[in-house]
Each structure stands twice: as structure tokens, then as C-alpha cells.
Amino acid sequence: MAKRSFLLCLSLLPCLILFAQTKTGFAPAGGVDIYYELYGGGAPVVIINGGPGLNSNGFQDLALSLSERYQVILYDQRGTGQSNMKEVSPENITMDLMAADLEALRKHLGYQEWTVLGHSFGGILGNYYTAKYPAAVRAMIASASGGIDLGLLTNYDITRQMTEVQRDSFMYWTAQLSSGDTSERVREKRLAFMATAYLYDDRYAPKVAERLGQSNRQINQLIWQNLQRIQYDVREAATAFQKPVLIIQGEQDVILPQTGKAARDAFPNSTWVLMPECGHYGWIDQPALYFKSIHAFMDALPAADEKAIREVLNNYVHSIYKVDSSLVYAVTDTTLQKSGHYYSDKSGAWSYSDMTFQQLVYTAARYNLKGHIPNNAPVQVEIFDIGSQTASAKVSAIWGFDYVLLSQDARGKWRMDKVLWQSYSTETRRALQEQMKR
């Protein structure tokens, strides 16, 4: 009975009072106001906190640390924190609705795709969301995740990592509570010893205990009931998910290592990191290894950015020749700087030109009147370097080439900042055309 009573507040974190760059909220379908916070800039990473039944407050320091390199989205799950609901019921607290909330949040923020970081129960929700909306997920990070099915409930023992004294004390105060003593002192004592189950370093236990006490038990129970009702198991979807997955957990986690191993075996493109001397919170017990693993994983994800950059550069070329020149506005903005050398067939001479954004739009509109895209436009797109928020590339076509500097805005969208261009001489262009025919 005791185990059932606290299954499962799987994700709790010492809460620091920090401030996000932006705080706002929105209302997805169903009339639930989903509250979210944005931190930093760069590639978008959404954090799904654990619980279930806990708000995201305890994850603000994790979000702040990750925001040094990424755009981090932190949000309160429906019915928790500032994502208020008029009524909590089995009909409106389900995994399907919680996954739909995440997808609505992604669309609201305008991300084509994002990296999903799910911690503990958040890993379960992250897996479920990815199974339903795989195209929206660039990559996934399973942090001390609850796993791909309900296997974690088998032989689950919250006292596994406790010392003998901690175990005996926890069981004593649990028995007191079960016998009807619901006083604040009994609750606090029980939570104090319960908190040690989640940590390798017990110095942080008081903060974890405080966080444990904030759980909405009704939501917690409804979600676990729903997971069992739907027979949660995303193994089939996991085996079909080809994008990168990082599975990271501590050797002394309350969630057994075989849970992470099962996920590693299911996801075909996965990496499993098992951290020594580490409990449920890698960023507390092993911060250096935890963040190093995440950064290495994120740094190895150029493919999605490369795809997005290639799309921007191709759209740039097409915007000059398509009937609708408004595509220029989608890939550049009024700060674009374009300059270079062009060859005049008429005069047989080279000239240098600076082009403003308005001149680029005018050129696109003028060329659009022809209503066609020239053959071999572009011939080649070469991406030289992709940083956390900048990239450089070369676009080659029959008529010349552009060197392009791009940057990534706060929502992870790539845009063109500077273009250095040069046309080919008539002789060079003809030689290239002949070469292309061979």
C-alpha cells in the first residue's frame, strides 16, 4: 500500500528563484491556459518536467543552465502551476491531451521542430508525444526517464538507494501517516526521508522534500490510471524513430538502469549514458558529466540545421525568379547587406555594387515577371560551418555565386544576414554550361 501511495513523484528539483527572459501564456484547444517561459536563444529545447502533478518551478535552474547555448522552453503541464483548469477530471487529464498541449505549444511558438528533453515522468510524456508527433521532434533527450512502457513498475522500490537508517525512518513515518496521523510534522518527516531516495548527495534532500510536498496527488493518480488504461507502450513507435536519442541516467537512480537499457535497445539511433555516483538528478549529482553529455549530443545534430539552411538558401534563389517574390521576406529582413561584383556583357567590364533590402525586393519582383526559375538554379549549395547561432555557406549557379552569412533567431529560425556575390564573365558562364551538358 505504501508504494502505491507515492507512485510516482519521479521528478523533483531544488528550486532556485530565477527569472526567464520572457513570460507569457496561451490557450490551446480545450480551454486550458498553458503557461510557459522562454530562456536564452538558439536551437529550441523544450523541457518536460516530471511528476506527474508537479509544476515546472523546480526546473528553472536547469533551463537557465541550458539557455547559455539553446532556446529553452519551460512550461506548466495542464492543471499544474499557472496552467489552470476549472475542473480536474479523468476526461481532461489524459496522456493524449497532454501530448496535444505540447504540440499546440510548438505551433504557437512557430517552431518547425524542437528537441524534447523529458525528465522522469517527463520522459514518459516525451516518448508518448514523439510517438504521436514524430515529425515535430528534431531529437530527444531522456533524462532519468520513466521509460518506453510500464516496466518501471515491476519490482519498483523507492527505498533501494536509502541507507538502513533512512529506510527504517521512512517506513516508520509512512506507517504513522497510514494509521491516520496526517499532521504536518508526520508529513514533513516522511518527505524528508523520502527525498533521500532521489539523490546520491543527500545535502540537497531538504529542497527535494519541499518540492515533493507540492505534488497534486489527484493529477498524479489520474495520469497513472490513464497510463494503465491505455497500456502505455511506445516500443513500436520507438523502433521506427530514426532521429537521435540521448538516454542519460544515474547508476544510483531510483529508476533501475534496465529501464534506460530497454529504451536504448528500442530506439535505433540512441546513445545511453550511465553516470556513476548519481541519483535521479544528473545536473545535481554529476553536473559536469550531465551537461557535457547533452552538449556533445546537441553538437552532433547538424543535419536538421543543415536541412533548414539549405531550404533558406534554395528559397532565396527561388524568390528571385518565382512569380511570388514575397519569399524574399521569409528568408531575409530589412537589415540584409548584399554587395559584390558583376560582369556586364554589354560593356565587357566589371562593376561593384551594394544592394539594399528594398533593391533586392525590387530585383526579385522584376525577375519574377519572367515567371520561371533558370536551369541549374542553384547548381550547388555548400555549407562551410554551422555554429550554435551562425552559419556560413556558398550558393553557386550558372550565372555566378554568393557567399552567405546566416544567423539563427531566438526561435531557432535561420535567416540570411550578409551576402557577398560575384557574377561570371560570359566566357566562364558558357564554359560551365558546356560542362553541365556533358
Side-chain angles (χ1 to χ4, degrees), residues 67-96:
S67 71
E68 295 177 4
R69 299 181 60 169
Y70 319 112
Q71 167 88 86
V72 179
I73 306 96
L74 193 61
Y75 79 104
D76 287 337
Q77 295 162 23
R78 58 170 46 212
T80 71
Q82 298 185 61
S83 294
N84 300 313
M85 298 178 65
K86 292 181 179 179
E87 181 184 6
V88 172
S89 69
E91 290 72 33
N92 59 28
I93 298 294
T94 68
M95 292 294 291
D96 282 333

Side-chain angles (χ1 to χ4, degrees), residues 86-132:
K86 292 181 179 179
E87 181 184 6
V88 172
S89 69
E91 290 72 33
N92 59 28
I93 298 294
T94 68
M95 292 294 291
D96 282 333
L97 290 174
M98 293 175 77
D101 290 342
L102 260 174
E103 182 63 1
L105 177 59
R106 180 191 68 83
K107 291 179 178 178
H108 171 77
L109 293 173
Y111 302 127
Q112 182 175 353
E113 57 182 6
W114 55 7
T115 296
V116 173
L117 191 162
H119 183 80
S120 197
F121 162 73
I124 292 177
L125 180 53
N127 288 335
Y128 195 73
Y129 169 75
T130 300
K132 290 180 69 69

